[in-house]
């Protein structure tokens, strides 16, 4: 009964797809062989594309790979069934030459995958492959950090996930004396995002958030705090981004 319901939902979604970019379905663990021709839909930059809808399971990670020996590939994906609404993208993959690869963690439901040529007018054969879902059990660990300390970490699929699909680590900070502190997050792998909260669990309403006050893609929050326990989200700005980072807390007295 559950399989029949999922199939019905997916079929209904495909039926309302725009005429300019008809959508096909792809299953976890499936590989599809395709061929771009001059008749395929085009992006605004003149590149050809096709859209695929996949039914995902909650708390599972998926790896999507687009490869071709005929053209330079570009790949994007996003939650939902709108081909224009993607949140993760890739051109050359991790050491994959002209092939592309994206990874994403899902909260369940439909995701859209857009297979794309990188440049205008390119055509040729391609292979689109989606891995079987990999079960994720996000950590609930809270890490300690003190004023005057710097910590190195890595954000990845086993970390906590915010509502927007971005990963974050949670750090507990104890303030013994009232004063101003600077919290800074740096990364060469992703655009950094910071959140500061009361209490030790990185939840509730934030006291402050920041994207790029640290310059470039670094985030920084300068805040006057009373004695007590606070928490810091070391977070990526975009969904499903992974990478290494450095988090530091310094006194501004």
């Amino acid at each position: 009964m559950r399989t029949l319901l999922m199939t019905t939902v997916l079929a209904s979604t495909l039926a309302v797809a725009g005429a300019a970019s008809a959508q096909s379905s792809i299953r976890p663990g499936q590989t599809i062989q395709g061929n771009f021709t001059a008749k395929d839909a085009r992006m605004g930059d003149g590149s050809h594309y096709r859209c695929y809808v996949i039914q995902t399971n909650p708390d599972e990670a998926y790896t999507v790979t687009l490869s071709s020996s005929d053209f330079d590939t570009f790949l994007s994906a996003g939650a939902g069934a709108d081909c224009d609404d993607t949140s993760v993208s890739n051109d050359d993959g991790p050491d994959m030459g002209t092939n592309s690869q994206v990874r994403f963690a899902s909260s369940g439901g439909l995701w859209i995958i857009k297979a794309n040529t990188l440049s205008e007018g390119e055509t040729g054969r391609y292979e689109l492959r989606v891995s079987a879902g990999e079960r994720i059990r996000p950590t609930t660990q809270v890490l300690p950090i003190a004023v005057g300390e710097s910590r190195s970490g890595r954000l990845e699929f086993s970390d906590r996930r915010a509502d927007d699909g971005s990963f974050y680590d949670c750090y507990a900070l104890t303030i013994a004396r009232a004063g101003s502190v600077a919290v800074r997050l740096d990364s060469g792998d992703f655009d950094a995002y910071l959140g500061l909260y009361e209490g030790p669990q990185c939840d509730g309403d934030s006291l402050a958030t920041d994207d790029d006050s640290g310059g470039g893609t670094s985030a920084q929050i300068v805040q006057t705090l009373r004695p007590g326990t606070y928490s810091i989200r070391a977070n990526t700005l975009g969904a499903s981004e992974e990478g290494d980072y450095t988090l530091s807390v310094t006194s501004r007295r």
Side-chain angles (χ1 to χ4, degrees):
M1 181 67 179
R2 182 170 178 267
T3 301
L4 177 60
L5 178 59
M6 288 167 55
T7 303
T8 302
V9 171
L10 185 55
S12 299
T13 301
L14 297 180
V16 299
S21 58
Q23 297 172 353
S24 302
S25 62
I26 189 169
R27 301 184 306 274
Q30 185 179 8
T31 297
I32 288 179
Q33 307 291 334
N35 184 30
F36 281 122
T37 71
K39 295 181 180 180
D40 280 298
R42 293 176 182 258
M43 301 282 290
D45 61 3
S47 61
H48 293 297
Y49 72 98
R50 290 182 186 171
C51 292
Y52 296 84
V53 177
I54 181 172
Q55 176 70 50
T56 66
N57 295 319
D59 297 321
E60 286 190 356
Y62 300 85
T63 301
V64 186
T65 305
L66 178 63
S67 56
S68 175
S69 58
D70 294 336
F71 58 86
D72 196 352
T73 66
F74 190 82
L75 187 61
S76 54
D82 186 344
C83 201
D84 293 326
D85 191 12
T86 57
S87 56
V88 292
S89 62
N90 179 260
D91 173 13
D92 294 328
D95 303 320
M96 296 184 66
T98 59
N99 298 328
S100 307
Q101 187 177 88
V102 297
R103 297 183 68 206
F104 64 86
S106 177
S107 299
L110 298 178
W111 271 67
I112 195 77
I113 297 168
K114 183 188 289 185
N116 193 192
T117 65
L118 181 64
S119 301
E120 178 180 0
E122 289 185 310
T123 58
R125 297 185 179 277
Y126 65 87
E127 180 180 276
L128 180 67
R129 183 172 67 254
V130 180
S131 70
E134 175 189 349
R135 190 68 178 169
I136 303 172
R137 288 183 170 81
T139 181
T140 57
Q141 182 182 22
V142 177
L143 306 167
I145 192 168
V147 176
E149 188 177 6
S150 179
R151 297 285 299 268
S152 295
R154 179 173 177 81
L155 292 176
E156 52 194 0
F157 278 56
S158 59
D159 287 314
R160 299 184 185 209
R161 192 163 72 248
D163 291 341
D164 62 1
S166 61
F167 304 126
Y168 70 94
D169 284 335
C170 183
Y171 288 84
L173 172 67
T174 299
I175 299 297
R177 296 170 55 189
S180 179
V181 298
V183 182
R184 184 181 176 91
L185 181 62
D186 298 286
S187 175
D189 296 331
F190 57 82
D191 196 349
Y193 190 80
L194 273 174
L196 178 65
Y197 301 80
E198 285 192 287
Q201 290 295 331
C202 292
D203 56 12
D205 294 332
S206 60
L207 292 175
T209 60
D210 184 73
D211 172 16
D212 54 12
S213 292
T217 59
S218 296
Q220 180 171 273
I221 293 173
V222 178
Q223 189 85 2
T224 299
L225 300 176
R226 305 184 304 271
T229 301
Y230 300 84
S231 51
I232 300 163
R233 279 193 187 190
N235 195 188
T236 66
L237 180 64
S240 293
E241 291 184 306
E242 298 177 281
D244 298 323
Y245 67 84
T246 301
L247 177 69
S248 60
V249 181
T250 56
S251 174
R252 284 296 180 96
R253 291 190 184 90

